[in-house]
Each structure stands twice: as structure tokens, then as C-alpha cells.
């Protein structure tokens, strides 16, 4: 028998095994590829975000609720939009007030995406939405401040910024809703007002003059109040002194009356003593160091002066 008719079973078995290994390897490669394809097209929707699914550039679905989502491979794409509130710093702008004065305003806005589909359809991106929002804010602020005088804007006592911010927020939202931008402005605030450089010095000078005038007004009012208080105090003092004097005179009169009564009671008990006392009292009133008295030597007055009691 020739060698050509001999079959090597060992070589045949090895070939069969390699074919099986190859098939298994291909199967695992395909399985891994499928798994990679599946997992690469899964996405997670987190709290505070929207997932926008596009197909050939068009929005086909928006996932809003947290959880796991899936897109069709190679056909669909996923982009993320924020659901939380965002702050946008509006660019500085120059406006004219009602009294024809120029000023620079600086605002900021707090906003959020309410309808992602409308926002994408009309603004395309978050940057586009902020750009349109800024245009509306500038337009409304310029119109509102154009109805106010400069003093009403910068003077704290006359300022209507509180109600102004509310009006601007409301009107900006009306414009955004009218054009279906799908975003809502929560608040618009004026954080700073400045003057153009060429106007600063003149305004500062006028403000200083106003403050000095106000200070003088306070000083004048203080002086007037001081003079009024002093006058009232002087009047009250005079009234108190007059009342005290009147009461003192009354008490003195009562005391003198009481003293006279006591004197009368005492003197009525001894007439000669009373006569002598009255005489001595008259001496006290009429005789001093410069008095010259000429009396007869036998007069009672002279005898008393000389010490005779008989």
C-alpha cells in the first residue's frame, strides 16, 4: 500500500480542533463587540439635567427623569442640558435717563431652561439662549430707565430699583415666551451703576453740594430746636421761681402774722416792759454811729440813754 493512501489521524484531529477554537474566538469577539456597542449607547440621566436625543440633527426625544436611557447606535446622538438655575452676567451697557444723562449699567440674570425642545429649536444652544436673553434685558432696562431721572436711579431715598427689577423680569419673560425660547428668567438685578468718565467729576461735585446743603439743613434745624428748648426751659424756670417766690411771701406773711400775735400776747402781760422795748427798738432804727441827738437832760429818753431807770 502506498503512502498516499495512508491518513494521518493525528493531523486530522489537530485541524478540527483549530477550526473549533477559531469559531469560539470569533463568537466571543462578536459577543464583546455587541456588548461594547450596547454599553456605549447607554446613558444615565442625572438629577438637574436633560438628555436630548437627536437623530440626523433633529430632536426625537428628551429624557427629563433620572434613570438609564438608550440611543440607537450610529444614528442617534445625546447631548446634555442643565435643568438647574443658572446665573448670567449681562454685559455692561450705556443708557440715557429721562433727564438726558448718560450712565453705565451692569446687570445679572438668574434663569433656567423650562422647555429644552423649544430652546433648541429657536436658540440652538445655551450660549444662543443667553445671547437672546441679554438682548431682551438690555432693551427692557433701557426702556424702563429712560422713564426715570438720574437722581431717582442713584439716590437711595428716591430709588425705585426694587419695583424696577420686578418689572424688568416680568417684561423679559413676556418677550421670551412670545418668541418660544423655552427659557424662564427668575430674576434680573442691577448690581452696579456708573457714570461715563467724562461725567463723573461734575456729578461728584453736584453730589457734594447736595450733601453740604442737606448737612446745613440739619444744622439749621438743630439750632432751631436748641433755641426752642432753651426758651421753653427759661420760661419754665421763671414760672418755677415766681411760684416759689409767691409761696415764700405767703409763708413769710403767715410767719410775721404769727410772730405779731405772739408779741402781742407777750407784751400785754407787762405794759411797762412793752413800752421800754418799743423805745429801744426806736433807738435801733434812729441812732447809728453818725447820729447826733440833742435832748434835755431831764427827758425820759435822755435818762434811759444815760442809764437812769428811776
Amino acid at each position: 500500500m502506498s503512502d498516499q493512501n495512508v491518513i494521518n489521524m493525528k493531523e486530522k484531529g489537530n485541524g478540527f480542533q483549530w477550526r473549533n477554537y477559531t469559531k469560539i474566538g470569533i463568537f466571543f469577539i462578536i459577543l464583546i463587540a455587541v456588548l461594547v456597542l450596547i454599553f456605549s449607547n447607554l446613558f444615565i440621566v442625572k438629577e438637574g439635567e436633560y438628555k436630548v436625543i437627536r437623530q440626523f440633527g433633529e430632536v426625537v426625544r428628551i429624557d427629563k427623569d433620572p434613570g438609564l436611557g438608550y440611543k440607537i447606535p450610529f444614528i442617534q446622538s445625546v447631548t446634555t442640558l442643565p435643568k438647574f438655575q443658572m446665573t448670567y452676567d449681562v454685559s455692561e451697557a450705556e443708557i440715557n435717563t429721562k433727564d438726558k444723562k448718560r450712565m453705565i449699567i451692569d446687570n445679572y440674570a438668574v434663569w433656567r431652561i423650562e422647555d429644552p425642545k423649544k430652546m433648541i429649536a429657536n436658540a440652538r444652544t445655551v450660549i444662543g439662549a443667553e445671547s437672546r436673553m441679554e438682548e431682551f434685558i438690555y432693551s427692557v432696562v433701557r426702556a424702563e430707565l429712560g422713564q426715570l431721572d438720574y437722581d431717582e436711579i442713584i439716590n437711595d431715598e428716591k430709588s425705585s430699583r426694587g419695583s424696577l427689577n420686578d418689572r424688568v423680569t416680568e417684561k423679559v419673560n413676556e418677550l421670551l415666551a412670545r418668541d418660544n425660547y423655552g427659557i424662564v428668567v427668575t430674576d434680573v438685578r442691577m448690581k452696579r451703576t456708573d457714570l461715563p468718565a467724562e461725567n463723573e467729576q461734575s456729578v461728584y461735585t453736584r453730589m457734594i453740594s447736595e450733601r453740604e446743603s442737606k448737612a446745613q439743613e440739619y444744622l439749621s434745624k438743630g439750632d432751631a430746636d436748641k433755641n426752642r428748648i432753651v426758651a421753653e426751659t427759661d420760661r419754665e424756670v421763671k414760672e418755677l421761681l415766681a411760684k416759689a417766690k409767691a409761696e415764700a411771701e405767703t409763708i413769710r406773711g403767715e410767719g410775721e402774722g404769727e410772730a405779731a400775735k405772739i408779741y402781742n400776747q407777750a407784751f400785754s402781760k407787762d405794759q411797762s416792759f412793752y413800752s421800754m422795748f418799743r423805745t429801744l427798738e426806736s433807738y435801733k432804727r434812729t441812732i447809728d454811729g453818725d447820729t447826733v441827738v440833742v435832748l434835755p437832760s431831764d427827758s425820759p429818753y435822755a435818762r434811759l440813754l444815760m442809764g437812769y431807770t428811776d
Side-chain angles (χ1 to χ4, degrees):
M1 183 179 295
S2 64
D3 294 337
Q4 294 180 349
N5 295 324
V6 177
I7 299 174
N8 191 336
M9 297 302 295
K10 185 177 180 181
E11 292 180 357
K12 186 177 180 180
N14 289 337
F16 179 77
Q17 288 179 353
W18 277 110
R19 282 196 298 271
N20 288 338
Y21 291 153
T22 302
K23 289 179 181 179
I24 294 172
I26 293 173
F27 172 77
F28 277 110
I29 291 172
I30 294 173
L31 179 61
I32 291 171
V34 171
L35 291 176
V36 169
L37 186 64
I38 291 173
F39 283 108
S40 65
N41 287 279
L42 292 174
F43 57 86
I44 297 173
V45 183
K46 299 178 181 178
E47 287 283 354
E49 66 180 17
Y50 299 105
K51 290 295 185 182
V52 181
I53 295 87
R54 302 171 188 260
Q55 184 171 314
F56 304 116
E58 297 295 328
V59 177
V60 294
R61 189 173 85 250
I62 296 175
D63 291 347
K64 302 179 181 180
D65 299 325
L68 191 65
Y70 182 77
K71 68 179 182 66
I72 300 174
F74 309 115
I75 297 176
Q76 295 179 341
S77 61
V78 179
T79 56
T80 303
L81 291 176
K83 188 188 290 185
F84 50 81
Q85 293 196 129
M86 295 168 283
T87 302
Y88 179 68
D89 194 3
V90 182
S91 302
E92 292 182 359
E94 187 174 299
I95 59 101
N96 291 321
T97 61
K98 183 180 178 182
D99 49 355
K100 307 302 180 185
K101 293 182 180 178
R102 291 186 302 158
M103 63 181 299
I104 298 172
I105 56 171
D106 190 4
N107 297 293
Y108 72 90
V110 180
W111 69 288
R112 71 177 189 277
I113 300 172
E114 189 174 61
D115 191 328
K117 194 168 186 177
K118 287 183 180 179
M119 193 217 74
I120 293 170
N122 294 287
R124 292 296 180 189
T125 62
V126 171
I127 295 175
E130 289 177 335
S131 176
R132 296 299 298 149
M133 178 178 63
E134 180 173 356
E135 292 177 10
F136 288 146
I137 290 173
Y138 172 69
S139 175
V140 173
V141 169
R142 182 180 60 182
E144 290 292 328
L145 294 184
Q147 302 175 20
L148 300 175
D149 291 332
Y150 181 79
D151 288 344
E152 294 180 278
I153 299 172
I154 66 169
N155 192 329
D156 291 336
E157 296 178 359
K158 302 178 182 178
S159 178
S160 58
R161 289 187 191 178
S163 58
L164 173 65
N165 293 329
D166 295 337
R167 292 199 305 272
V168 170
T169 302
E170 182 180 354
K171 291 185 178 181
V172 169
N173 279 324
E174 290 175 359
L175 294 173
L176 292 170
R178 181 197 65 186
D179 293 345
N180 291 319
Y181 279 103
I183 64 176
V184 173
V185 175
T186 306
D187 196 13
V188 176
R189 291 284 162 180
M190 185 184 300
K191 64 180 181 180
R192 185 168 61 92
T193 59
D194 278 334
L195 293 167
E198 61 270 19
N199 293 351
E200 284 186 356
Q201 188 56 48
S202 62
V203 172
Y204 289 156
T205 302
R206 182 172 60 81
M207 291 174 66
I208 291 171
S209 176
E210 289 178 354
R211 293 306 179 201
E212 288 178 347
S213 175
K214 196 73 174 177
Q216 188 59 46
E217 180 183 340
Y218 288 146
L219 289 173
S220 299
K221 187 176 183 299
D223 288 340
D225 290 342
K226 171 198 167 185
N227 293 334
R228 177 179 55 79
I229 293 170
V230 169
E232 290 178 354
T233 303
D234 289 343
R235 178 178 55 78
E236 291 177 359
V237 168
K238 289 179 180 178
E239 290 177 354
L240 290 173
L241 289 174
K243 184 178 179 181
K245 187 176 181 180
E247 290 178 354
E249 291 296 332
T250 300
I251 294 171
R252 185 180 293 110
E254 293 175 352
E256 289 177 351
E258 186 68 22
K261 180 180 178 182
I262 294 172
Y263 286 150
N264 289 334
Q265 291 176 353
F267 294 148
S268 63
K269 294 181 179 180
D270 190 339
Q271 294 294 330
S272 61
F273 174 78
Y274 176 69
S275 176
M276 183 184 69
F277 179 79
R278 293 297 299 270
T279 301
L280 293 174
E281 285 294 317
S282 68
Y283 293 165
K284 287 169 61 176
R285 289 192 295 269
T286 57
I287 298 174
D288 56 22
D290 298 327
T291 303
V292 177
V293 179
V294 179
L295 297 171
S297 61
D298 57 348
S299 68
Y301 206 178
R303 290 176 65 81
L304 285 173
L305 290 175
M306 289 184 290
Y308 297 110
T309 56
D310 293 336

